[in-house]
């Protein structure tokens, strides 16, 4: 079964409550209409009912009538979430009056507050909003998971069928989207969260290689030391994970090279999850694999937030939005261990 067929089936089996704050954006509404028709999530739209319904009618989207619509002008609704925001941000000087204004005017914050209050499971936004705005709302309201201090972005690389590497024609790359130069501690957290993505989204048992330009001490440099320290931290913090390094990329995925460069490794030559030493390398790598190998790139899947929130490119197609929603719902399902 193809990746999105499997993820869609899981979403249909365990429908999550999904917030879409950009409720009158045409592509978002079209994606919501498809999600509702396929029974993949319980859709919550934020905004004025008459505007949402008018736009849905204009676009011929009959399924939108089955969405839950929450109007921020509803006094009781606004007050409940304003009180929560004021409490969360009081140390930053946010008063109840300021919180009411934010809840009424910024649906990104409102969506995150619904998740924080336990009234929704996940959110997708960004068709209208810059990435910085989406992440700011998520950071300030949802924060990061307990014990996690860094948010990162993974890509699931869908490889050609004749590609001999990875598992089920997939590899997972991280961090390719968020952290420019992670410390050893941050790199370890990225590896642990990416292993979760490999399991919950790619559907694979994670085999994690911590990449460098050195394999098992073939080179000495402070950048190699950073990766070695990260490997030690992963072993301490998540001893159940299959992880090894430092390791060059060919040693990580090519069995013949792995056995030669890293004999005895339980990762070398069979890794399906590649952790890059910094954002520069990760971003370059995923784009090269995408273009040179003709691979699909699903992501970035944001990792480490207190609840699943994913950001869209403002150039996203309806299909892109539907796929991001499906991935996000599967993150929420994975967090609940369903």
């Amino acid at each position: 079964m193809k990746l999105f067929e499997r993820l869609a089936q899981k979403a249909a089996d365990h429908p999550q409550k999904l917030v879409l704050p950009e409720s009158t954006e045409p592509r978002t509404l079209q994606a919501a209409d498809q999600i509702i028709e396929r029974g993949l999530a319980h859709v919550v739209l934020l905004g004025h009912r008459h505007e949402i319904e008018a736009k849905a009618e204009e676009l011929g989207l009959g399924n939108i009538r089955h969405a839950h619509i929450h109007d921020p002008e509803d006094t009781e609704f606004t007050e409940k979430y304003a009180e929560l925001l004021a409490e969360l941000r009081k140390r930053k000087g946010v008063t109840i009056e300021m919180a009411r204004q934010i809840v009424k005017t910024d649906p990104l914050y409102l969506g995150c507050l619904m998740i924080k209050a336990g009234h929704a499971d996940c959110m997708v936004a960004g068709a209208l909003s810059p990435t910085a705005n989406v992440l700011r709302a998520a950071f300030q309201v949802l924060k990061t998971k307990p014990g996690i201090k860094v948010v990162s972005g993974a890509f699931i690389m869908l490889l050609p069928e004749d590609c001999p590497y990875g598992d089920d024609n997939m590899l997972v790359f991280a961090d390719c989207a968020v952290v420019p130069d992670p410390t050893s501690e941050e790199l370890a957290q990225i590896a642990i969260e990416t292993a979760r993505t490999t399991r919950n989204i790619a559907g694979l048992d994670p085999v994690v290689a911590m990449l460098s330009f050195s394999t098992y001490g073939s080179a000495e440099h402070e950048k190699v030391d950073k990766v070695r320290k990260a490997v030690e931290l992963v072993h301490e913090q998540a001893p159940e994970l299959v992880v090894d390094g430092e390791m060059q990329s060919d040693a990580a995925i090519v069995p013949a090279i792995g056995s030669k460069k890293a004999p005895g490794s339980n990762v070398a030559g069979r890794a399906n999850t590649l952790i890059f030493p910094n954002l520069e390398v990760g971003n370059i790598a995923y784009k090269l694999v995408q273009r040179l190998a003709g691979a699909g790139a699903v992501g970035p899947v944001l990792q480490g937030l207190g609840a699943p929130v994913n950001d869209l490119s403002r150039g996203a197609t309806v299909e892109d939005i539907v796929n991001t929603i499906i991935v996000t719902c599967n993150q929420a399902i994975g967090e609940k261990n369903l």
Side-chain angles (χ1 to χ4, degrees):
M1 185 182 291
K2 300 290 186 180
L3 175 65
F4 278 104
E5 291 176 1
R6 176 173 54 77
L7 293 178
Q9 184 60 59
K10 191 170 183 179
D13 290 342
H14 306 282
Q16 302 296 291
K17 198 165 188 178
L18 164 81
V19 182
L20 297 175
E22 297 163 329
S23 56
T24 57
E25 199 283 317
R27 292 163 297 161
T28 301
L29 271 182
Q30 289 170 324
D33 190 81
Q34 292 185 26
I35 292 294
I36 294 167
E37 181 176 23
R38 296 168 64 184
L40 302 184
H42 303 300
V43 174
V44 179
L45 300 173
L46 304 182
H48 304 307
R49 178 176 292 276
H50 67 279
E51 293 179 0
I52 295 170
E53 291 178 344
K55 178 59 72 171
E57 184 176 356
E58 176 188 327
L59 296 170
L61 305 176
N63 294 307
I64 295 300
R65 68 181 183 274
H66 299 298
H68 302 278
I69 298 176
H70 287 299
D71 190 331
E73 293 295 338
D74 181 309
T75 305
E76 181 180 352
F77 181 74
T78 299
E79 193 65 18
K80 175 170 40 179
Y81 294 112
E83 289 172 358
L84 175 57
L85 180 59
E87 178 63 25
L88 290 170
R89 302 291 293 166
K90 63 183 178 182
R91 292 185 180 178
K92 298 296 183 179
V94 175
T95 64
I96 187 63
E97 291 79 13
M98 294 166 63
R100 288 184 188 122
Q101 183 64 17
I102 292 170
V103 169
K104 284 183 178 180
T105 60
D106 195 327
L108 297 175
Y109 277 85
L110 179 54
C112 290
L113 286 163
M114 290 189 71
I115 297 171
K116 186 70 173 180
H119 301 153
D121 301 303
C122 52
M123 184 175 91
V124 170
L128 285 178
S129 307
T131 296
N133 292 3
V134 176
L135 291 180
R136 185 181 303 111
F139 282 137
Q140 292 186 3
V141 175
L142 299 171
K143 308 186 185 305
T144 54
K145 293 178 182 176
I148 299 293
K149 296 181 179 179
V150 64
V151 171
S152 57
F155 280 85
I156 300 170
M157 306 303 297
L158 307 179
L159 306 171
E161 290 190 6
D162 59 351
C163 181
Y165 308 118
D167 279 351
D168 198 19
N169 298 113
M170 287 185 282
L171 286 168
V172 182
F173 288 6
D175 173 25
C176 305
V178 182
V179 188
D181 190 15
T183 64
S184 294
E185 292 74 15
E186 290 170 335
L187 203 56
Q189 292 184 356
I190 290 168
I192 292 167
E193 287 301 301
T194 306
R196 187 190 303 270
T197 296
T198 298
R199 187 178 303 281
N200 291 344
I201 307 302
L204 306 174
D205 290 330
V207 179
V208 183
M210 308 288 283
L211 299 183
S212 179
F213 58 85
S214 167
T215 300
Y216 277 20
S218 64
E220 294 294 335
H221 191 277
E222 61 184 16
K223 292 186 180 296
V224 177
D225 294 339
K226 179 180 82 168
V227 177
R228 287 179 189 153
K229 177 62 175 177
V231 175
E232 293 174 7
L233 290 170
V234 176
H235 285 152
E236 292 172 8
Q237 296 169 18
E240 75 283 359
L241 282 184
V242 179
V243 58
D244 200 8
E246 87 282 4
M247 194 173 294
Q248 291 163 290
S249 55
D250 57 352
I253 65 172
V254 182
I257 295 175
S259 62
K260 188 175 297 183
K261 289 187 173 183
S265 171
N266 60 349
V267 170
R270 67 186 197 96
N272 57 25
T273 304
L274 305 183
I275 307 302
F276 296 93
N278 60 46
L279 176 58
E280 183 176 36
V281 177
N283 191 272
I284 290 169
Y286 104 78
K287 289 181 183 291
L288 280 175
V289 172
Q290 184 181 29
R291 300 303 176 183
L292 296 181
V298 178
V301 179
L302 293 181
Q303 310 172 140
L305 285 168
V309 172
N310 277 311
D311 175 54
L312 299 163
S313 163
R314 277 178 279 176
T317 65
V318 174
E319 182 182 9
D320 291 335
I321 299 172
V322 168
N323 287 343
T324 301
I325 288 171
I326 291 171
V327 167
T328 307
C329 289
N330 272 264
Q331 284 181 282
I333 293 165
E335 295 294 336
K336 297 175 183 178
N337 296 314
L338 296 175

